[in-house]
Amino acid sequence: MTSFLVRRILGAIVILILISLITFYLFYALPRDPARAFCGKICRPETLTLIRHNLGMDEPLFVQYWHWLSGIFMGREFTQFGACPAPCLGYSFATQEPVFSAIVDRFPVTLSLTLGASVVILSFGILTGMLAAWKVGQPLDKIASSTSVIGASLQIYFVGPLVVFAVVDTLGLLPRPSYVPFTEDPLTWFVHLLIPWVVLSIIFTANYTRMTRSQMLEQLAEDYVRTARAKGMSGRSVFFRFAWRGAMIPIITIFGVDLATLLGGAIITEQTFTLHGIGELAVRAVQNTDLPMLLGVTVVGAAAIVFLNIVVDVLYAFIDPRVRLS
Amino acid sequence: MTTVSWSSEPGTSRGPEPFLSVRDLSVRFSTEDGVVHAVDGLSFDVEKGTTLGIVGESGSGKSVTNLTILGLHDPAHTEVDGEIWLEDQELVGAGASTLEKLRGNRVAMIFQDPLTSLSPFHTIGRQIGEVYRKHKGASKKEARDRAIEMLERVGIPQPATRVDHYPHEFSGGMRQRAMIAMALVCDPDLLIADEPTTALDVTVQAQILDLLKDLQQQFGTTIILITHDLGVVANTADNVLVMYAGRAAERGTVREVLSKPSHPYTWGLLSSMPRLTSSVDMPLVPVRGTPPSLLNRPAGCAFHPRCDFPQLVGSDLCFTQRPDISPENGHGDACYLTLQQKRDIRTGDTKEQA
């Protein structure tokens, strides 16, 4: 277990370094010059050089990358902003705020959105899928299977505003989506994020319903389930104790992939519900040619995905004893 | 749909009451392509403490018959007719809870592939113990102790540590031993072994069969051994039932069926099997053709398309009318050939082979 974790974390670090390198390189492949943008409309060459120097852009590319990378662990000095203690991701070109604190401010929003939606999606999807498999071929199964297809074909920027209009503006059942820190007031946090979670789950649940249903049916046809019945186990305990375990493994696999989609899709979700999270930060960083912000957001986002996938792998081992983590 | 049949006098005029009595059993599956007649009018008896070997090709209905005994068929797509009597209990149409109490308790089953037949998610000890807990109401501790005892009984070394291992940590032969331990944990009266040695290598096969024999001698368990291997039957069974296309082709004691086979299909099975006594370069003769589709069975005797002798019977009896097994008791076969014809064919065979 420990050696598995060490290996996975080392692997994750390599992945993150690669991602940051690629982002760094791609940024310079862009035809836009951030110093030029800073300089304004009337720009004298010497001002431009000064800005370049202040931004550290007059140094070779690999030196700049090295400064950025070492800043994360050791902090760095900026001529313009002064000391930036570790972990330092630099200062935003556009707003001059420290990138790290900007991300720390907004990360909880995206994380709440993603993890909360995941809980709703998984519990709802697995529940309906199990029900459909339990009542296979009966009306309940048909309803669950067909409504899930409709859900899967919807888009968040279509359903989101509709739900907000119906639930908030017309019926006044819930407050308009916004972010209140969990630590401040868990109940308000919950109530204000309920709509985004439910809307995300309408779209993503379908997959899990169908997958759980087909996996359960597949497991129920397995030899070991027949053995359990031949031993005299009741239908219910066969269903929930034996078949369930096997059905969860592919579900978790897909969930690991969907987590990345959810985090990546945060850009659209946050836009739809006017929440100020990482996604919004990323969009603005691209629009402003804001390299430090863009790098910071990309690396932190990637780190979150990689970390959550390690958690998923550990879950495997708990469900299936054949998966050895050593 | 399950049809309940009532009979006031099971096994009328058949001497001592058999332990298990299957009467005119038919099992049909409805599929998208039509109705599959998996078992069709099958009758047989098993006496207490004996072993019945059921032999036949894949798809001859041998496994279906035994799954039906335990009610393990899918009730939504299966229609069962006939009677299955376990002593004085009728099993066709018995309620779910009656069958649940029976399974693993009075009637236990061993399956072909012990790897897929054991749950990969639970320890061996737990899988054995839960049967004991379910049927005997034992505590967790008692069930675990019982599991260790059972593992020891089936010859698994260091049962006290092995009890906490998962099936994937066992070898193939050990897994089948564990499976047997699981089947025998409640001291069942009837053990149905569905090709228990097919997935194992030959040395392990012999060990497992010996183990079953030993356990039978110790506890007087009645065994139904399903196999396609006549060698296994010769070594372990008392009686044999040869099945073809969901029906009994031949029935008798092991000695009768193997040394005086009287159905052309049994002849075919025997001549497709190598013998230590015959010379090495003697070719094995397979049964020609393929087993019939159970969706669309041949009219008359289901074996006639693969049989060499329908012309001997005269008229077109083999093509039009289904033979029933005769005589009613003892060594019998479902074939229209007369005893004399069979004798002639057999002696001709032996002449050719010698």
Side-chain angles (χ1 to χ4, degrees), chain A residues 11-25:
Chain A
I13 290 172
V14 172
I15 290 172
L16 293 178
I17 287 178
L18 278 175
I19 287 173
S20 63
L21 256 176
I22 292 169
T23 318
F24 212 91
Y25 176 77

Side-chain angles (χ1 to χ4, degrees), chain A residues 223-224 227 231-232 241, chain B residues 103 111 116-117 130 134-135:
Chain A
D223 284 353
Y224 74 90
T227 308
K231 290 198 294 194
R241 289 227 349 261
Chain B
R103 295 178 196 145
F111 296 99
T116 57
S117 299
E130 71 190 346
K134 159 102 189 174
H135 295 297

Side-chain angles (χ1 to χ4, degrees), chain A residues 43 55 64 101 309:
Chain A
C43 182
L55 293 176
Q64 289 184 45
S101 64
N309 270 294

Side-chain angles (χ1 to χ4, degrees), chain A residues 33-58:
Chain A
D33 180 355
R36 191 78 192 69
F38 265 93
C39 197
K41 267 189 179 149
I42 309 148
C43 182
R44 277 177 303 162
E46 50 269 37
T47 327
L48 195 64
T49 321
L50 186 69
I51 291 172
R52 283 231 168 88
H53 179 72
N54 282 345
L55 293 176
M57 293 181 71
D58 51 351

Side-chain angles (χ1 to χ4, degrees), chain A residues 98-111:
Chain A
V99 169
F100 187 75
S101 64
I103 291 175
V104 167
D105 277 353
R106 283 149 175 269
F107 201 62
V109 180
T110 308
L111 208 61

Side-chain angles (χ1 to χ4, degrees), chain B residues 6-327:
Chain B
W6 295 101
S7 166
S8 47
E9 297 163 298
T12 333
S13 71
R14 260 182 294 108
E17 198 103 315
F19 176 65
L20 177 81
S21 179
V22 172
R23 283 286 154 266
D24 207 22
L25 183 73
S26 294
V27 183
R28 289 179 295 274
F29 305 125
S30 43
T31 66
E32 282 176 15
D33 301 322
V35 178
V36 175
H37 296 260
V39 179
D40 189 1
L42 180 72
S43 300
F44 65 87
D45 295 321
V46 191
E47 303 291 337
K48 202 167 177 71
T50 63
T51 300
L52 172 72
I54 301 185
V55 190
E57 288 164 296
S58 329
S60 59
K62 48 196 198 311
S63 293
V64 173
T65 304
N66 290 284
L67 287 174
T68 313
I69 294 177
L70 279 182
L72 289 175
H73 52 275
D74 174 8
H77 302 105
T78 316
E79 206 180 317
V80 181
D81 283 320
E83 299 166 28
I84 300 172
W85 288 88
L86 184 73
E87 287 187 325
D88 53 355
Q89 203 174 6
E90 158 68 304
L91 302 185
V92 174
S97 69
T98 315
L99 288 171
E100 265 169 33
K101 279 185 203 127
L102 203 75
R103 295 178 196 145
N105 193 13
R106 282 194 74 195
V107 184
M109 204 157 178
I110 309 172
F111 296 99
Q112 178 173 341
D113 186 346
L115 180 59
T116 57
S117 299
L118 289 165
S119 163
F121 309 118
H122 303 97
T123 61
I124 292 283
R126 189 166 158 197
Q127 295 188 54
I128 297 173
E130 71 190 346
V131 193
Y132 200 59
R133 293 185 65 190
K134 159 102 189 174
H135 295 297
K136 305 289 183 200
S139 70
K140 258 190 175 154
K141 171 85 177 64
E142 287 166 346
R144 196 187 135 88
D145 291 345
R146 175 72 175 173
I148 296 173
E149 184 194 334
M150 290 310 293
L151 288 176
E152 182 150 31
R153 190 182 286 179
V154 296
I156 286 180
Q158 295 165 304
T161 38
R162 293 304 244 164
V163 75
D164 293 321
H165 287 193
Y166 288 94
H168 70 270
E169 295 167 304
F170 276 53
S171 70
M174 287 294 161
R175 272 182 219 132
Q176 196 59 296
R177 283 172 192 268
M179 190 81 198
I180 292 173
M182 193 166 84
L184 297 180
V185 69
C186 292
D187 294 323
D189 300 322
L190 175 64
L191 177 68
I192 299 171
D194 190 348
E195 309 218 13
T197 57
T198 307
L200 305 174
D201 65 59
V202 182
T203 45
V204 181
Q205 274 188 19
Q207 290 170 12
I208 295 292
L209 292 173
D210 284 346
L211 174 66
L212 283 178
K213 254 199 241 173
D214 286 350
L215 293 169
Q216 181 175 39
Q217 271 161 16
Q218 275 180 55
F219 303 100
T221 319
T222 310
I223 297 180
I224 295 180
L225 183 72
I226 305 169
T227 178
H228 56 252
D229 187 342
L230 283 167
V232 168
V233 166
N235 283 327
T236 28
D238 301 302
N239 297 296
V240 186
L241 177 75
V242 179
M243 282 189 72
Y244 188 80
R247 288 177 67 79
E250 183 164 355
R251 157 206 359 102
T253 63
V254 168
R255 182 174 280 273
E256 285 163 347
V257 174
L258 295 188
S259 59
K260 278 181 248 137
S262 64
H263 192 285
Y265 178 59
T266 321
W267 300 341
L269 286 181
L270 286 168
S271 61
S272 65
M273 197 177 76
R275 279 162 193 265
L276 281 176
T277 47
S278 57
S279 71
V280 187
D281 48 328
M282 211 190 66
L284 295 174
V285 189
V287 184
R288 70 182 165 84
T290 49
S293 154
L294 295 174
L295 273 170
N296 195 354
R297 290 165 306 166
C301 171
F303 188 61
H304 84 252
R306 304 171 75 184
C307 185
D308 291 324
F309 314 106
Q311 73 287 350
L312 285 182
V313 172
S315 71
D316 50 0
L317 213 52
C318 288
F319 305 100
T320 52
Q321 213 160 346
R322 218 169 51 178
D324 280 319
I325 198 157
S326 69

